[in-house]
Amino acid sequence: MSTAQRAAAPASRPESVSAPLDVERIRADFPILERKIGGKPLVYLDNAATAQKPRAVIDAIQRYYREQNANIHRAVYRLSEEATREYESVRARVARFLNAAEAREIVFVRGTTEAINLVAHSFVRPRLGPGDEVLITAMEHHSNIVPWQIVCEERGARLRVAPMNRSGELLVEEFEKLLTERTKIVSLVHVSNSLGTVNPVKELVSLARARGIPVLVDGAQAAPHYRVDVRDLGCDFYALSGHKLFGPTGIGVLYGRAELLEEMPPYQGGGDMILSVSFERTTYAPIPAKFEAGTPHIAGVIGLGAAIDYLERLDRSQIAAHEADLLSYATERLSEVPGLRIIGTAAHKAAVISFVLEGIHAHDVGTIVDQEGVAIRTGHHCTQPVMEFFGVPATARASFALYNTRDEVDALVRALFKVREVFG
Amino acid sequence: MPDLGDLYQQLIIDHNRNPRNFRRLEDANRMASGDNPLCGDRIQLFLKVEGGTITDIGFQGSGCAISQASASLMTQAVLGKSTEEAEALFRAFHEMVTGPRDKAPDRQLLGKLAAFAGVRDFPARVKCANLPWHTLKAALQGAEEPVTTE
Ligand SMILES: Cc1ncc(COP(=O)(O)O)c(C=O)c1O
C-alpha cells in the first residue's frame, strides 16, 4: 500500500468486521422511509445534501418543546436549569464523539458554513496580511471557497488551490509545494460531496503542521460515514453540520483547539457571550460561550445530541462496511447503463457517485428518476470549480447512507433505463 | 401525479436533439444572453429586427432538454413576427407554464408552443422553459446584462 492510500483510510479503522448491519431494523427507525412518492416507495439517495432523521431525533426535539422548553444559561428556575444541563451535556457528548480533549473546544454554530466563516473571520482575518496565502483544494464546496475569498480580498492576500488528478484525487506533492511561510491556514475537505473522494487528511494535516501552519478540516461529509478523531487527525479546527449527521437543520459544530479558540476575538457580539458589559467596556465570557452570542438553537442542539447517541449505539464499522458494499454494488450496476460515466473515481471513496449520461442533461435525468420515486441530486452540488475541471455543466449524484439498500440501487438503475427510453 | 409524457413530448425531444435556428447571426442587431447558473442552462440569442419585424433569429447554448427545445421552438414561433406579436407570445407562454392549471392554453395563438403546457406540473423546470423567452424579451428591450429565470 502506498503512503497515499494508507493515509486515505477513513478517520478510524473499522475495528473488526463483524456481522452485517441489520438494515431493515435501521430503516424502521426512520419514519420518512415509509413514504410513497406518487405511489412509489421513496428511494432517498440524496444523503450528501441532507440525511433523514431517526425517530429518536424527532422525539427528542418534541420532548424538548413539550416538556423542557426554557432559555438556557439565564435563570435560576428548575426548568431553565434542566434545559441548560441538556444543552451542555450535548456539548460533552459531541466532544466525546469527535474525541476532543475538552467540551469547551466544541462551539455550536448553524452548520459547516458558519463554522468556516467563524474561523475565517476570527482566526484568519487578523493574521492575514498583504501577500499572505490561504490554501484550499480543487474539490472544495463553495462554503470552503467563498469565505476565504472574502477575507483574502479584504487583506490583500491570495487564495491558493492545491490541484487534483482526473480521478478526483488530491495531488499530495503539489499540495506540499504550496505550503510556504506565507501560508496562514490550510482549509480542506475531508470527504468531497461531489466526487466522494476521501482525502488523506491525517497526512495532509501533518505536512502543514510540521511547518507550523494551522489546518481547518471541513468534515460535513465525513462525520456521517466514519468515526472522526480530531486528535488523531491532528487538525486545529473541524467543522460539521448536524443535518447531514441525521440531526436537525440549523445546527452544527466547530471544534477548535482550546488554545486557539482562547486567543481568537469573538465572532458576533450579544447576550450570552459576555462576563460583564458597560458602555465603556465589555469583558467576554470564556470559550466556548464567547462564540455563542444570543439565544442558541437549543432544540437543534438537543436533536443533534440524540443523533449522535443514535449513531453511537450502532457499530460504526458495520456501517462503513455496509456503505462500502453499496458503493461497489452501485458502481458496478451503474456501468450497465449505456452512456453513463462516473465523475470521481478516487481509489478511496465514500458512498457518493456523481455521473453524467451522454447527451442528456442532469436535470432531465433528475426529473425522470423522480417519477420513479428516486430522489437524487442534480446540478453542480455547490462545487462549480469541480464541474469546470471535469468539463461538465452539472452531474447527477446518488449519495448513500446507512439505511440504503441494494434494492434501492436497483431502483435507481431501473429509473436510469427509463431515462434512456424517454430520450430514445 | 404529473405524467412524464406530458413533459417530454416527442416534439420537445426532437427539438432538443435537432435544435432549429441553432446558429450565430453575423448581422444580428439585437443580442442577449440568458444563464441559469444553478441548472447550467445557457443561451445566447441573436436577432435581426427590421422595421419592427423579426426578420432573422438564431440561438446557441447548452442545457437541459426543456431549455434547449424551448429556445428552438421559440425561434420558429417568432420568426417573421412583429416585436409586438413576439411580446404577446411571451405573455401567452408565460401564462401557460406558470398560470393556474384549469386555465387552458391559447392553442390558437401558441401553436406548437402548447407542447410546453405540461411544464406547469413540474415546478422545478418552469425556469428552464422560460429562460429563452426572458432572453428574447431582454434582446428586444436592448438589455445589457445577462438574464436569468432562477
Ligand atoms: C463538503 C461540504 N462542505 C460544506 C457544506 C455546507 O454545509 P451547510 O450547508 O450545512 O453549512 C456541505 C453541504 O452541502 C458540504 O457537502
Side-chain angles (χ1 to χ4, degrees), chain A residues 276-406:
Chain A
S276 69
V277 174
S278 72
F279 287 117
E280 287 70 42
R281 185 182 146 70
T282 291
T283 313
Y284 303 128
I287 63 165
K290 180 168 77 177
F291 296 106
E292 294 179 6
T295 300
H297 185 8
I298 306 167
V301 165
I302 286 168
L304 174 64
I308 285 175
D309 293 349
Y310 179 80
L311 276 174
E312 295 283 32
R313 278 196 300 274
L314 300 171
D315 179 341
R316 310 261 347 242
S317 62
Q318 278 184 341
I319 296 175
H322 173 65
E323 291 181 356
D325 173 69
L326 287 175
L327 175 65
S328 64
Y329 182 68
T331 304
E332 188 188 305
R333 291 274 355 246
L334 286 171
S335 71
E336 295 167 18
V337 181
L340 186 144
R341 179 161 65 97
I342 292 178
I343 306 284
T345 48
H348 196 82
K349 267 185 76 168
V352 172
I353 306 182
S354 262
F355 59 90
V356 290
L357 275 183
E358 200 189 337
I360 307 177
H361 192 276
H363 280 127
D364 296 314
V365 175
T367 295
I368 298 170
V369 303
D370 178 52
Q371 296 298 298
E372 304 299 307
V374 179
I376 56 172
R377 178 80 181 270
T378 55
H380 54 57
H381 320 294
C382 296
T383 56
Q384 279 180 331
V386 172
M387 300 295 115
E388 184 111 338
F389 178 79
F390 285 98
V392 293
T395 71
R397 178 189 69 187
S399 54
F400 300 88
L402 71 178
Y403 40 65
N404 290 124
T405 64
R406 281 183 171 221

Side-chain angles (χ1 to χ4, degrees), chain A residues 48-49 111-114 141 143 189 191 193 218 220-221 241 243-244:
Chain A
T112 306
T113 303
E114 188 173 41
H141 188 276
S143 65
V189 73
V191 174
N193 66 306
D218 169 355
Q221 298 294 343
S241 295
H243 69 99
K244 298 189 198 276

Side-chain angles (χ1 to χ4, degrees), chain A residues 136-142 144-145 161-165 167-171 188-200 218 346 382-383 385-386 390:
Chain A
I136 60 173
T137 80
M139 64 185 96
E140 300 306 324
H141 188 276
H142 293 166
N144 200 22
I145 302 175
V161 182
M164 62 182 165
N165 64 20
S167 304
E169 291 163 324
L170 189 71
L171 298 172
L188 59 96
V189 73
H190 195 162
V191 174
S192 156
N193 66 306
S194 52
L195 300 170
T197 310
V198 181
N199 277 315
D218 169 355
C382 296
T383 56
V386 172
F390 285 98

Side-chain angles (χ1 to χ4, degrees), chain A residues 68-260:
Chain A
Q68 299 172 312
N69 179 55
N71 210 328
I72 56 167
H73 298 147
R74 292 188 183 180
V76 297
Y77 54 85
R78 270 166 291 172
L79 196 63
S80 169
E81 280 174 1
E82 195 177 312
T84 307
R85 206 163 47 240
E86 279 281 319
Y87 181 87
E88 290 302 327
S89 94
V90 175
R91 198 188 303 281
R93 272 133 72 199
V94 172
R96 261 200 313 280
F97 182 72
L98 296 176
N99 196 30
E102 305 173 67
R104 68 195 181 109
E105 297 183 311
I106 301 302
V107 179
F108 290 122
V109 290
R110 272 195 301 135
T112 306
T113 303
E114 188 173 41
I116 297 171
N117 276 279
L118 193 161
V119 174
H121 287 267
S122 289
F123 180 72
V124 176
R125 190 159 160 259
R127 0 180 122 212
L128 207 58
D132 284 342
E133 293 178 355
V134 168
L135 179 59
I136 60 173
T137 80
M139 64 185 96
E140 300 306 324
H141 188 276
H142 293 166
S143 65
N144 200 22
I145 302 175
V146 184
W148 306 115
Q149 286 172 329
I150 292 172
V151 293
C152 283
E153 173 149 6
E154 188 190 315
R155 308 304 264 194
R158 209 167 144 209
L159 184 63
R160 304 301 302 268
V161 182
M164 62 182 165
N165 64 20
R166 301 303 299 176
S167 304
E169 291 163 324
L170 189 71
L171 298 172
V172 177
E173 287 97 77
E174 299 299 315
F175 171 85
E176 192 171 1
K177 281 189 216 148
L178 287 165
L179 297 169
T180 71
E181 69 283 1
R182 291 186 299 275
T183 316
K184 290 295 176 285
I185 189 151
V186 170
S187 189
L188 59 96
V189 73
H190 195 162
V191 174
S192 156
N193 66 306
S194 52
L195 300 170
T197 310
V198 181
N199 277 315
V201 168
K202 189 172 175 178
E203 179 190 359
L204 301 171
V205 169
S206 80
L207 289 172
R209 292 289 304 275
R211 293 162 176 82
I213 304 167
V215 183
L216 163 67
V217 179
D218 169 355
Q221 298 294 343
H225 304 289
Y226 308 116
R227 184 174 291 287
V228 172
D229 181 334
V230 290
R231 279 187 288 171
D232 180 57
L233 291 175
C235 58
D236 298 278
F237 299 100
Y238 198 92
L240 60 87
S241 295
H243 69 99
K244 298 189 198 276
L245 196 63
F246 314 102
T249 54
I251 192 69
V253 170
L254 172 67
Y255 156 81
R257 285 200 297 119
E259 192 192 332
L260 302 182

Side-chain angles (χ1 to χ4, degrees), chain B residues 27-47:
Chain B
D27 56 348
N29 55 13
R30 305 285 170 85
M31 265 186 291
S33 45
D35 192 3
N36 280 345
L38 286 178
C39 302
D41 293 338
R42 216 169 258 190
I43 90 149
Q44 255 191 313
L45 197 60
F46 307 92
L47 290 138

